[in-house]
Amino acid sequence: MYLKKACTKHLIWMCTLMLFFCGFSKTASAGKVMVESLTDLQKAVQKADPGDVIILKDGKYQDSTCVLKGKGSRQLPIIIRSRGIGLVELYSGISIEGDFITLEGFLFKSMSNIQLSGTGLRVTNCIMTDVMTKKWIWADYSCKQLEIDHCLFENKSNNRLYERDCQLIKINVTNSNECHHIHHNHFRDVLPGKGTNGFETIQIITKGNPRDPEIGDCGTLIERNLFERCSGEPEIISIKSNGNQVSGNTFRACAGALVFRHGDGNVASQNIFLGDGEPNSAGVRIQGTDHLVVNNYFSNLGNCGLFIHYGVDDKSYVKVERAVIAFNTFYNCRYAVLYGFNGVPPSKCTVANNVFYLERGPKKYQKPVEQFQLFKFVKEQDLDWNWENNIAWGTLGMKPVSGITRQDPQLEAIGDGMTLPALNSPVVSRADASFPGVNNDVFGHVRGQLRSIGAIEYSVWLKNDGPLDETRVGPRY
């Protein structure tokens, strides 16, 4: 009797244990679905619960535009992915409509593109190569917290076919705290457009494209991206919105600039601009009020490091006011700073703790030495600016002002277009330590109490510092 009861108890325990493990196994495997067509993918996304992972079978897909509608959550996004980067090739477009949906690992070719509408959408570890649609990624005004990261965008050759409207990434905003994040991507070989406008690599644009947007910040962060030979038009990144930050990016041999075209209160910080022999290479161009240009490194640029526009009456170019240009290094650019064109001059700007250096101009551009100078005015005017603690060496190109010391900064080449202050450099420990809001250098190192003038803080150089390269950006699983 006892044995019978014991066996019964043992059997019940075993059955309970089996049910538990079966239930656990079912729960653990639930939410991962393999689909074999874009039609099945659309159905799976529509039925998906937050946290589900949908894997598209390896292969080439040439169907018409695939519309993916779903709703994940911030903690549990719906993930649509390939088994490995590039194993799924798309030859037509994808439209994602919903919330917290991630697209991962797809290869886009031919007439493919991505259209986005919703909150918390993410495009990651994808490759777009020689895509022939005009815009490769397009986000509408409803998008919030969009993330585009660790992607490769290359060979935008179709720019040569159209007169305009060929932005690689175009994000429409209303300056209502969209807080998009574009980071760790590799952009390369964006070819010049057939026309002269509308071929930006990245454009952030306010609804209606007002020349002077109303108060309200977008809050988009564009950081840690590598741009190589992105030469679609003079604006590589075009910011037509308020309150955005472009930080920690590297630009190589790009015939264009980072441009604050419309809007106020934008920040360019910790970026590296390398001319690499491109005669039309440039750094930052600004219009509008309250912009910050801090901790950037401009090297061997064939055009200019910083271009400050004058304002005009119709506000097609808004007057620059209260800009802060601080802790930057301008090294051997054709012009460190260019002022123009005719109109209302910029006012109430602060230029502080910068290094302006010009030995003889970028050697690769084969231009006479007299065509190079540190400051260039399209129209000579006295500026009501605050100049503080800058060091300049080379042909000044403007009237001497207090706040610019004519002295060799003693910069030592460290390779890859970069220089470092020498031990006895007059920039070392000479910056204004009380200058607000600039606590780190171009590489993110803490400046401390005794700060160096220019973009690089002396004595904190590390081997892994320097311009971004393809090992630190782009797709990876």
Side-chain angles (χ1 to χ4, degrees):
M1 184 71 176
Y2 174 81
L3 182 61
K4 185 176 180 180
K5 287 182 179 180
C7 289
T8 302
K9 288 180 180 180
H10 181 70
L11 182 62
I12 293 172
W13 180 81
M14 287 293 293
C15 290
T16 303
L17 192 63
M18 289 175 66
L19 286 170
F20 171 80
F21 278 111
C22 287
F24 178 81
S25 177
K26 183 177 180 180
T27 302
S29 62
K32 182 174 285 189
V33 178
M34 177 76 77
V35 296
E36 298 187 358
S37 70
L38 295 184
T39 299
D40 290 342
L41 177 62
Q42 292 179 116
K43 294 176 180 177
V45 173
Q46 195 165 15
K47 295 178 181 178
D49 293 320
D52 284 358
V53 178
I54 304 166
I55 302 171
L56 182 58
K57 181 182 177 182
D58 301 354
K60 299 180 180 181
Y61 296 85
Q62 303 186 35
D63 309 48
S64 58
T65 298
C66 177
V67 180
L68 304 176
K69 297 182 179 181
K71 193 173 183 64
S73 69
R74 189 181 305 279
Q75 294 77 21
L76 295 171
I78 297 169
I79 299 175
I80 305 159
R81 57 172 296 185
S82 63
R83 290 191 310 110
I85 295 171
L87 297 180
V88 168
E89 296 183 18
L90 295 180
Y91 291 77
S92 57
I94 278 187
S95 176
I96 303 177
E97 304 172 13
D99 298 327
F100 302 104
I101 301 172
T102 294
L103 183 70
E104 183 172 9
F106 287 12
L107 171 61
F108 292 82
K109 292 184 174 182
S110 186
M111 297 305 294
S112 58
N113 62 1
I114 303 172
Q115 298 183 46
L116 301 169
S117 178
T119 298
L121 305 181
R122 183 183 181 192
V123 178
T124 184
N125 284 316
C126 290
I127 299 172
M128 303 187 83
T129 180
D130 204 19
V131 173
M132 299 308 291
T133 47
K134 295 177 74 174
K135 294 176 178 63
W136 290 12
I137 295 181
W138 183 88
D140 74 11
Y141 304 110
S142 73
C143 282
K144 299 273 190 178
Q145 302 160 36
L146 169 65
E147 184 174 8
I148 302 172
D149 67 285
H150 293 97
C151 295
L152 170 62
F153 303 98
E154 63 177 356
N155 196 22
K156 197 171 191 303
S157 64
N158 70 324
N159 283 353
R160 298 173 298 188
L161 305 177
Y162 301 102
E163 294 293 339
R164 58 180 303 121
D165 298 325
C166 285
Q167 295 84 7
L168 194 155
I169 295 176
K170 180 169 183 172
I171 299 177
N172 299 278
V173 300
T174 58
N175 296 323
S176 54
N177 297 314
E178 282 84 0
C179 297
H180 303 310
H181 194 191
I182 302 173
H183 63 97
H184 292 92
N185 301 290
H186 191 178
F187 300 88
R188 65 186 179 198
D189 298 312
V190 178
L191 275 62
K194 184 178 180 181
T196 58
N197 190 26
F199 301 89
E200 299 91 338
T201 300
I202 299 175
Q203 183 188 69
I204 310 295
I205 184 169
T206 302
K207 186 176 183 179
N209 191 22
R211 294 172 176 177
D212 192 8
E214 295 182 1
I215 293 174
D217 288 341
C218 172
T220 287
L221 175 60
I222 302 173
E223 65 170 342
R224 306 292 292 175
N225 302 284
L226 173 59
F227 298 85
E228 294 185 287
R229 301 173 300 280
C230 292
S231 303
E233 63 142 89
E235 300 181 15
I236 304 164
I237 298 177
S238 180
I239 303 295
K240 296 183 173 182
S241 136
N242 304 324
N244 304 282
Q245 182 169 347
V246 183
S247 181
N249 305 282
T250 295
F251 299 81
R252 282 189 173 276
C254 296
L258 158 60
V259 180
F260 296 155
R261 182 63 181 89
H262 299 153
D264 305 315
N266 294 299
V267 178
S269 66
Q270 299 176 309
N271 301 290
I272 298 174
F273 299 86
L274 304 174
D276 284 357
E278 169 52 59
N280 294 311
S281 54
V284 177
R285 172 156 57 98
I286 62 174
Q287 297 100 55
T289 62
D290 299 307
H291 298 308
L292 301 182
V293 181
V294 296
N295 280 330
N296 302 284
Y297 194 95
F298 306 90
S299 177
N300 289 291
L301 299 175
N303 194 321
C304 64
L306 176 63
F307 186 7
I308 302 176
H309 257 290
Y310 286 18
V312 296
D313 291 339
D314 67 359
K315 289 191 175 182
S316 55
Y317 292 95
V318 175
K319 174 185 175 182
V320 174
E321 293 184 275
R322 299 184 300 277
V324 174
I325 298 117
F327 288 96
N328 302 287
T329 296
F330 298 85
Y331 180 80
N332 266 353
C333 301
R334 182 180 181 186
Y335 308 118
V337 182
L338 175 64
Y339 303 92
F341 296 97
N342 293 335
V344 183
S347 66
K348 301 177 183 178
C349 297
T350 296
V351 184
N353 299 303
N354 300 284
V355 173
F356 301 102
Y357 179 86
L358 179 60
E359 180 184 13
R360 57 178 298 170
K363 299 177 182 179
K364 296 181 180 180
Y365 303 141
Q366 304 298 315
K367 294 176 180 177
V369 174
E370 59 268 18
Q371 292 190 19
F372 298 89
Q373 57 193 58
L374 292 173
F375 299 92
K376 171 69 173 177
F377 289 81
V378 175
K379 182 178 181 181
E380 184 70 34
Q381 287 178 291
D382 293 326
L383 301 174
D384 61 336
W385 286 24
N386 180 29
W387 300 82
E388 299 178 10
N389 206 33
N390 302 281
I391 286 183
W393 188 250
T395 303
L396 197 60
M398 63 180 286
K399 298 174 183 177
V401 296
S402 61
I404 297 182
T405 301
R406 303 294 301 279
Q407 190 173 10
D408 186 348
Q410 299 181 33
L411 304 177
E412 295 183 342
I414 53 177
D416 212 7
M418 305 291 292
T419 62
L420 187 70
L423 174 62
N424 297 319
S425 168
V427 310
V428 175
S429 303
R430 292 276 300 278
D432 181 0
S434 65
F435 197 89
V438 186
N439 300 315
N440 303 86
D441 74 355
V442 67
F443 302 118
H445 301 309
V446 176
R447 288 189 177 270
Q449 292 300 314
L450 300 176
R451 304 178 180 184
S452 296
I453 298 172
I456 299 177
E457 187 65 28
Y458 177 76
S459 82
V460 291
W461 174 264
L462 300 175
K463 288 184 178 180
N464 63 340
D465 288 333
L468 293 173
D469 60 29
E470 61 184 7
T471 66
R472 291 191 277 168
V473 295
R476 61 201 60 204
Y477 271 161

